[in-house]
Amino acid sequence: MLKLLFTPIQVGKMELKNRVVMPAMHYLASWEGMVLPHHVDYFAERAKGGAALIIIGGCTIDEASGAVNMLSAKDDKFIPGLAGLAKVVKGHGAKIAAQLYHAGRYSHSMLMGGKQSVSSSPIRSRFTGETPRELSIPEIKQVQRNYALAAGRIQRAGFDAVEVIASAGYLISQFLSPLVNRRKDEYGGDFENRVRFGREVIEEIRRGVGPDFPIIVRVAGNEFMDGGLANEEARLFSRELENAGANMINVTGGWHETRVPQITMGLPRGGFVYLAQGIKQAVSIPVMACNRISDPILADRILRDRQADLIGFARGLIADPELPNKAREGRFDEINYCIACNQGCFDPIFEGKPQTCLVNARAGAEGKRTLEPASGRKKVMVIGGGPAGMEAARVAALRGHEVCLYEKNECLGGQLPLAAAPPGRAEFLTFVRYLEGQMKKLKVTMHTGTEATPLQVEREKPEVVILATGAKPAIPGIQGADRPNVVLAWDVLSGKADTGKEVVIIGGGAVGLETAMFLARKGTIDADTLYFLMFNQAEKPETIQTLLYRGLKKITVLEMLKRVGQDIGRSTRWAILQDLARLGVRTLSKAMAKEITERGVVIEREGREELIPGDTVVLATGANPVNSLYDQIKNRVREIHMIGDAKSPRKALEAVAEGLEVGRTI
Ligand SMILES: Cc1cc2nc3c(=O)[nH]c(=O)nc-3n(C[C@H](O)[C@H](O)[C@H](O)COP(=O)(O)O)c2cc1C
């Protein structure tokens, strides 16, 4: 079925066994730039899984290039650690490259021991809230030498290639783009001058590493910044890079400051392939397409259509390190696909936490969270078929236990189908489908539509019970909460409850905002209709925009805290708020709901009472655990564990991690 994904390709003098590449994802759990044992475990697992090339890093190249806890190539002392990692990865049959990283004005002083960041010009960064220092010409030459020195270290450490990041709005982009390059010397002004810094970096590296060592450059296919460079300039830039000695162009999306989502689930799968396609038309070296291509069938189609020569699977390989091997063997239904939620991988960066993954809780702790065969086969009864219960069942069955699972609803997945209900969030169902498939494959005996009772537990005679009975919506003690015009957010999302024309949602956390999105999109046009109208020029562009943004309902979200969406990760929150604003949803923070009437919700805000009108009031006011069975059975079973929301309502990330932990330790 796959024609090209598993065919070899030449990048300069480097032969890759297939077209699957793991692009760089900086991994913050380093200690002063050193490679640590968990890095080795992490990358070894991806190498074993069948990827042809693994790009580690970004790696800092000098003191001002990035955070202290990123991997580094800024000194010879890092070579032994890098060499050890390279040996292991290569031992598993993959090639290894390192990304050289200089974030320029995107480096935060706090993460660089108080040092001010540097850039082409002193333009304040919205990303860090800080203003960088302009590099002088001698400093520019030094930074370029630092790139070359770092590349030399990577080469000496036995790596197969080096990559330079010239995208994302980092230092090389900061020279290339007129948005922040205001220099008057030979490094600023027209395109030729702005391209000089990046071109010279590649030339300097080439001089250092010799003619045969492959150099990859990662470029922004479009900066996606107002007044910034688009794909046309990225093509010209890529051609310059090729002339300067680059052997491959890795194409990603825009800058960190862009308001166009780059890696959220809102970006359709393969949504940025057109950027790589544009660049492929401008250069003769191999081009890699990236972002949201976690599906090997899609990847193969991109290659067959000659839109790109290689495919970057970044989070796809966090989610499932074995994805390439499974795809090569045609085991597509066994792949645990990335759902682009960012909860475990990208969001923790902002809190300085290490990487993990919602759908693969082993990610980042491969050496610790190992899955050993069970020492004795036990009968395990899992109660609850949400993410926590199914993950526990999967892991326990994988280790050789005899597992049965009880779920009171007909459908599995717990709250994941609710999370998947708003437009653009359907990826959550991908994980449910994977877990369902695993239940079948691992022969977990399923009892859906069956509420587990103490009697049933007695009949099953399990040696271990895992209680993963989830949560139910919390009803706040607001006067009028029992009125007929009040519905629960979960019921709205599941289609059980209807709403009127004017809706007030109480609770501006993730569930409240997602419900607002779900309702606000009612009556707007879908993707196919948009395509039809645009393609046939059937409506004026202004009319199409109105049809996209204006639905049938007027929606207000009330949140008593200072900010709405407090429980949503930083990489996704801004995109959700932007969507809601475009859809005309009003959000009111610091708004305390006092009473629900037939005319709406009376709130108190900044000392004043006000009626927020609405014919329907939706409650999105949190959840309470469902775990009464625990007390009823705890004295009747030998071993009992409570996990996920049944223990305390949190995110799916925690639920899955607890499922894994109990599954691998019983
Ligand atoms: C946790 C995390 C860290 C990342 N760090 C880097 C980085 O250091 N350098 C880089 O070029 N891209 C970085 N990226 C972007 C990825 O390489 C990739 O382009 C992005 O995740 C989209 O591809 P995907 O949808 O296949 O994950 C990072 C992404 C994630 C999720």
Side-chain angles (χ1 to χ4, degrees):
M1 192 173 191
L2 300 179
K3 277 207 170 150
L4 283 183
L5 193 59
F6 292 98
T7 57
I9 184 168
Q10 199 79 24
V11 173
K13 291 263 157 63
M14 170 173 67
E15 169 150 329
L16 298 179
K17 64 181 176 187
N18 62 47
R19 315 293 179 99
V20 179
V21 177
M22 182 172 188
M25 278 175 286
H26 66 263
Y27 195 113
L28 287 168
S30 174
W31 182 76
E32 307 221 324
M34 294 286 184
V35 171
L36 299 175
H38 67 261
H39 293 118
V40 180
D41 295 334
Y42 175 84
F43 290 115
E45 192 137 325
R46 272 86 201 159
K48 265 189 256 171
L53 173 67
I54 289 181
I55 306 175
I56 70 149
C59 301
T60 56
I61 60 155
D62 61 26
E63 298 299 332
S65 53
V68 283
N69 50 358
M70 291 174 69
L71 290 171
S72 186
K74 68 183 174 201
D75 192 283
D76 283 359
K77 73 178 178 195
F78 298 108
I79 295 176
L82 291 164
L85 173 61
K87 196 166 167 222
V88 171
V89 167
K90 289 162 85 166
H92 291 299
K95 297 275 196 293
I96 181 165
Q99 183 183 74
L100 303 182
Y101 176 102
H102 197 312
R105 64 196 271 278
Y106 278 170
S107 290
H108 207 292
S109 62
M110 198 177 73
L111 299 171
M112 296 193 298
K115 266 187 215 68
Q116 188 182 9
S117 62
V118 296
S119 186
S120 52
S121 305
I123 309 293
R124 185 177 174 274
S125 153
R126 202 171 65 196
F127 191 62
T128 61
E130 297 180 350
T131 303
R133 186 171 65 72
E134 177 171 310
L135 285 167
S136 66
I137 300 257
E139 284 175 325
I140 285 178
K141 301 288 174 200
Q142 186 57 53
V143 173
Q144 291 172 335
R145 260 193 305 279
N146 293 344
Y147 271 106
L149 289 170
R153 291 181 194 110
I154 296 300
Q155 189 181 29
R156 268 148 57 210
F159 278 56
D160 300 288
V162 72
E163 177 176 87
V164 175
I165 181 161
S167 58
Y170 290 157
L171 187 62
I172 295 177
S173 311
Q174 291 158 29
F175 275 89
L176 183 67
S177 179
L179 272 182
V180 294
N181 183 343
R182 308 284 163 80
R183 299 179 76 97
K184 301 276 179 271
D185 57 17
E186 67 265 39
Y187 288 96
D190 60 15
F191 187 76
E192 205 178 308
N193 278 358
R194 283 182 279 112
V195 93
R196 192 181 310 278
F197 177 77
R199 199 190 57 226
E200 287 178 354
V201 166
I202 304 307
E203 287 167 348
E204 186 84 24
I205 293 176
R206 177 54 75 213
R207 268 194 293 280
V209 297
D212 293 342
F213 194 65
I215 302 174
I216 304 165
V217 188
R218 186 162 226 203
V219 304
N222 185 325
E223 291 180 353
F224 291 123
M225 297 284 289
D226 269 349
L229 304 180
N231 194 242
E232 270 177 26
E233 289 88 0
R235 294 181 203 191
L236 296 177
F237 179 44
S238 301
R239 210 177 288 152
E240 291 274 348
L241 296 168
E242 178 175 8
N243 292 337
N247 301 102
M248 168 178 151
I249 306 291
N250 169 358
V251 185
T252 181
W255 285 22
H256 281 309
E257 284 166 294
T258 173
R259 304 310 286 174
V260 179
Q262 301 294 301
I263 62 168
T264 62
M265 54 174 94
L267 172 65
R269 287 187 181 192
F272 287 161
V273 174
Y274 77 97
L275 299 174
Q277 175 182 317
I279 289 175
K280 187 166 159 53
Q281 284 159 18
V283 298
S284 55
I285 50 178
V287 170
M288 178 158 89
C290 289
N291 292 54
R292 293 279 284 125
I293 316 174
S294 49
D295 173 2
I297 296 175
L298 167 65
D300 198 60
R301 191 187 50 67
I302 294 165
L303 298 174
R304 285 163 70 173
D305 291 347
R306 309 275 177 240
Q307 292 176 288
D309 305 290
L310 301 107
I311 305 293
F313 290 75
R315 291 166 298 169
L317 289 173
I318 302 181
D320 193 341
E322 269 194 277
L323 179 148
N325 285 344
K326 289 178 183 172
R328 205 186 55 239
E329 292 159 18
R331 296 187 283 135
F332 299 106
D333 55 348
E334 290 178 35
I335 295 173
N336 189 8
Y337 291 100
C338 164
I339 59 169
C341 67
N342 294 335
Q343 286 184 26
C345 58
F346 206 74
D347 289 337
I349 290 185
F350 302 106
E351 296 163 38
K353 288 189 187 157
Q355 201 179 83
T356 176
C357 176
L358 186 152
V359 302
N360 172 18
R362 288 191 63 238
E366 284 74 9
K368 280 192 202 137
R369 296 187 200 135
T370 54
L371 303 183
E372 310 296 341
S375 51
R377 184 172 161 89
K378 291 182 191 163
K379 178 151 191 198
V380 179
M381 181 179 186
V382 178
I383 305 177
M390 279 206 280
E391 175 68 356
R394 180 186 78 83
V395 177
L398 193 66
R399 295 181 50 237
H401 292 305
E402 180 193 343
V403 185
C404 63
L405 186 145
Y406 281 73
E407 165 56 51
K408 74 171 186 320
N409 294 317
E410 288 298 341
C411 91
L412 292 159
Q415 291 169 55
L416 290 179
L418 303 180
R425 314 289 284 170
E427 286 282 16
F428 281 112
L429 286 183
T430 310
F431 186 42
V432 178
R433 257 178 254 129
Y434 163 76
L435 288 170
E436 281 174 347
Q438 289 292 296
M439 298 301 99
K440 253 188 228 137
K441 178 171 181 270
L442 296 165
K443 301 199 168 37
V444 172
T445 312
M446 301 300 283
H447 303 271
T448 48
T450 314
E451 183 152 10
T453 58
L455 191 66
Q456 234 139 11
V457 175
E458 227 155 77
R459 277 202 205 121
E460 285 280 0
K461 298 193 180 35
E463 286 154 282
V464 183
V465 171
I466 299 172
L467 207 67
T469 34
K472 60 175 188 225
I475 313 284
I478 303 170
Q479 199 182 331
D482 54 354
R483 295 188 55 86
N485 58 336
V486 179
V487 294
L488 299 172
W490 291 18
D491 289 344
V492 172
L493 291 169
S494 67
K496 271 191 221 152
D498 292 323
T499 55
K501 236 175 126 23
E502 198 166 23
V503 181
V504 184
I505 298 174
I506 302 181
V511 174
L513 296 186
E514 275 157 15
T515 308
M517 183 93 77
F518 175 79
L519 292 173
R521 289 281 292 267
K522 298 255 177 216
T524 61
I525 51 173
D526 65 11
D528 284 347
T529 310
L530 171 68
Y531 182 86
F532 174 85
L533 296 178
M534 291 284 281
F535 192 83
N536 292 294
Q537 300 170 19
E539 295 280 0
K540 290 196 213 96
E542 314 83 83
T543 310
I544 293 180
Q545 198 155 38
T546 308
L547 291 168
L548 264 183
Y549 290 163
R550 284 293 163 268
L552 293 167
K553 294 175 191 280
K554 189 171 169 205
I555 299 159
T556 308
V557 180
L558 306 173
E559 169 56 55
M560 62 182 186
L561 300 175
K562 260 204 296 212
R563 280 162 28 116
V564 293
Q566 292 265 61
D567 54 344
I568 304 175
R570 187 164 152 189
S571 67
T572 305
R573 180 178 177 270
W574 69 268
I576 291 183
L577 295 185
Q578 182 171 274
D579 287 359
L580 290 173
R582 286 192 175 134
L583 289 162
V585 171
R586 186 160 80 124
T587 54
L588 287 180
S589 51
K590 293 193 253 173
M592 177 67 86
K594 307 283 280 183
E595 188 187 347
I596 300 170
T597 72
E598 63 179 343
R599 290 172 46 230
V601 181
V602 180
I603 61 162
E604 191 187 304
R605 192 162 183 252
E606 285 158 1
R608 284 210 324 265
E609 275 202 0
E610 187 185 344
L611 174 79
I612 307 296
D615 49 48
T616 313
V617 176
V618 179
L619 298 180
T621 40
N624 289 326
V626 174
N627 55 20
S628 56
L629 196 59
Y630 184 85
D631 285 336
Q632 296 170 38
I633 61 173
K634 69 175 185 224
N635 297 326
R636 305 194 208 174
V637 290
R638 232 186 289 164
E639 190 179 332
I640 182 164
H641 302 270
M642 188 150 61
I643 58 170
D645 279 7
K647 195 160 123 190
S648 107
R650 285 149 303 155
K651 290 188 177 170
L653 180 78
E654 283 95 7
V656 176
E658 285 175 15
L660 170 78
E661 202 47 31
V662 73
R664 68 175 210 90
T665 48
I666 51 175

